[in-house]
Amino acid sequence: MAETDKAKTNGASGAKATGGVTGKVLQVERHDYPDLAPETSQLNQPMEGFDPIYTDIVDYIIRCTHKIWDERDIGLIYTHYTHNCVLYGTTGTIYNREDVVRDTIQRLVSFPERRGMGTQVIWSGDDQAGFYTSHLVTGSGRHSQNGHLGKATGRPFVSRTIADCMIYANKIYREWVVADTTAILQQIGVDVDGYATRLARSAHERGQVSLDIGENRLMIGQYPPAEDPDLSVAATDTERLVVRMLHDVFNRKMFGRIAELYAPNCQYHGPLMAELYGQAAVIHQSLGLVGSLPDAAFAVQHVCSNPCDEGGEKVAVRWVMEGHHLGYGILEMLGDPTGKRVQVMGISHFHVKDGRIVDEWRVYDQMSMLAQVRLAQMAGSDGAALAPLAAPAAPAAAAPEAGD
């Protein structure tokens, strides 16, 4: 094993001693909340600059998220985010702490019963260089109060969100949030197209012509996709395995790689709360996503991993796809191909055991893509064809929070 692999694996396990601090960082799936956020406990890893209540980085992200969103201690945002924090969401970006506070309040107004269960936390780093966490949350609640989603319907929902955070000395200074807003809207009975159109119209009125989150190139000139991916973002053999598989599937269109690398009894936990089993299901979901955006380029933005109590490793990958709505696939709510440019910010968690993927949690938001299509239509010659919809205006920046 390379030295970088050794360092990362040892750090992720939490089994290190620095300045008399020795312990094991707990993992989320097999432990109850009181175990993950104990009332009194010794440090499991060095946490210089953090509030003394936190025993390790998993405790930090689980506990502060719970207190802010479930216990409604929203004011903790002032001590847990920098004043100039940047939050990247699937339909907008927030550039300061005060707007994070405002956005959090608005979401909790609509969902007074909302609860967010930490499903897993995959992390890297330390208290000296800073931590990176990828936090999968399963949220549930009821649309029981009028608010940013319109008149309360009283319907319940459950959805998945993954939030990636960069943290230093107790404060989050960058965050990427991918919330499956579409799943929430569908379950509570809010028209997804109407919501996306209002969001697009709000952006259009501010002078925006697109919701840019970057641009990738599938190929240069007339060359085919690159045979090999850029593995510089990966630090372990398992991370390299996952990055190479994603490149093969989404850039090279080698969907047979899924059958080679996923276990026969694998589980797929996808958008719209899909719970599917087997290699064929994963192939269909991946092929269907590419089918809607057949010229899309796929780029890995970040990857980290931890050894897993269940055996093997958990790997978190933040990624971006960029292409055009040129075909038919699983993104059915986009309708007939429009040719409009669409960007997808997604985050996936993988459980790799004995060299095979046994679980994948994949989160992206179809509503974001629909809003991009609607905004592109408004910016073009057919913008006038989109009549105003009589409903409350959508927020200026959408859902860059782990609360959904």
Side-chain angles (χ1 to χ4, degrees), residues 91-93 198-211 375 378 393-398:
T91 55
T93 303
R198 293 193 297 273
L199 187 68
R201 192 176 301 282
S202 177
H204 183 60
E205 291 172 353
R206 295 194 302 273
Q208 291 180 249
V209 296
S210 64
L211 302 175
L375 179 56
M378 292 175 190

Side-chain angles (χ1 to χ4, degrees), residues 46-332:
M47 296 290 286
E48 182 179 343
F50 285 78
D51 289 348
I53 192 173
Y54 300 121
T55 61
D56 54 50
I57 192 58
V58 173
D59 179 2
Y60 170 87
I61 202 70
I62 289 288
R63 190 194 298 260
C64 74
T65 301
H66 172 81
K67 283 187 168 294
I68 291 169
W69 286 93
D70 291 355
E71 296 186 6
R72 310 308 195 248
D73 284 338
I74 298 171
L76 286 178
I77 291 172
Y78 291 111
T79 58
H80 287 69
Y81 284 76
T82 60
H83 73 286
N84 58 350
C85 62
V86 182
L87 275 73
Y88 306 93
T90 55
T91 55
T93 303
I94 286 180
Y95 292 98
N96 65 82
R97 181 171 59 200
E98 199 60 46
D99 281 349
V100 175
V101 173
R102 174 195 57 79
D103 188 80
T104 303
I105 291 172
Q106 290 304 306
R107 297 184 188 287
L108 288 176
V109 164
S110 296
F111 302 124
E113 302 172 40
R114 183 261 174 209
R115 292 291 182 269
M117 310 302 162
T119 306
Q120 58 197 18
V121 176
I122 302 170
W123 63 275
S124 62
D126 56 39
D127 60 338
Q128 299 302 305
F131 289 103
Y132 188 103
T133 63
S134 188
H135 179 199
L136 172 61
V137 176
T138 303
S140 62
R142 191 178 303 275
H143 186 210
S144 56
Q145 189 163 301
N146 299 344
H148 72 294
L149 297 178
K151 186 176 180 180
T153 64
R155 296 183 182 180
F157 73 89
V158 59
S159 69
R160 280 186 281 262
T161 296
I162 301 182
D164 280 19
C165 295
M166 297 176 73
I167 309 157
Y168 181 75
N170 207 73
K171 287 186 170 63
I172 296 167
Y173 61 95
R174 281 194 186 183
E175 184 173 8
W176 292 261
V177 178
V178 181
D180 192 356
T181 309
T182 313
I184 298 174
L185 296 176
Q186 285 187 340
Q187 292 173 61
I188 66 175
V190 173
D191 178 55
V192 179
D193 194 356
Y195 183 84
T197 300
R198 293 193 297 273
L199 187 68
R201 192 176 301 282
S202 177
H204 183 60
E205 291 172 353
R206 295 194 302 273
Q208 291 180 249
V209 296
S210 64
L211 302 175
D212 272 332
I213 56 173
E215 185 168 349
N216 305 311
R217 290 201 294 174
L218 178 61
M219 58 188 72
I220 300 175
Q222 300 178 56
Y223 285 93
E227 185 74 17
D228 297 312
D230 185 346
L231 296 175
S232 62
V233 295
T236 71
D237 288 341
T238 301
E239 291 176 11
R240 285 185 279 270
L241 175 77
V242 171
V243 171
R244 187 179 297 279
M245 180 274 295
L246 291 170
H247 174 76
D248 286 346
V249 170
F250 291 105
N251 286 329
R252 298 183 62 225
K253 312 299 190 288
M254 301 291 287
F255 298 98
R257 291 284 285 154
I258 292 173
E260 296 175 15
L261 290 177
Y262 282 69
N265 60 343
C266 63
Q267 287 186 249
Y268 172 86
H269 319 273
L272 306 181
M273 297 307 293
E275 295 289 346
L276 305 174
Y277 298 84
Q279 299 163 340
V282 182
I283 291 173
H284 178 75
Q285 293 295 305
S286 302
L287 181 62
L289 178 57
V290 173
S292 296
L293 309 171
D295 69 338
F298 183 98
V300 171
Q301 302 291 304
H302 188 272
V303 58
C304 61
S305 62
N306 298 150
C308 178
D309 288 342
E310 301 160 278
E313 297 176 73
K314 292 285 179 69
V315 181
V317 180
R318 179 166 51 84
W319 49 269
V320 172
M321 284 181 70
E322 181 266 327
H324 296 81
H325 180 216
L326 299 172
Y328 294 92
I330 61 173
L331 305 180
E332 295 179 357

Side-chain angles (χ1 to χ4, degrees), residues 19-60:
V21 179
T22 304
K24 185 178 187 303
V25 179
L26 294 183
Q27 296 178 356
V28 175
E29 280 195 305
R30 288 190 170 187
H31 293 278
D32 198 12
Y33 177 80
D35 301 323
L36 298 167
E39 292 185 10
T40 57
S41 180
Q42 294 183 339
L43 284 174
N44 293 326
Q45 67 181 152
M47 296 290 286
E48 182 179 343
F50 285 78
D51 289 348
I53 192 173
Y54 300 121
T55 61
D56 54 50
I57 192 58
V58 173
D59 179 2
Y60 170 87

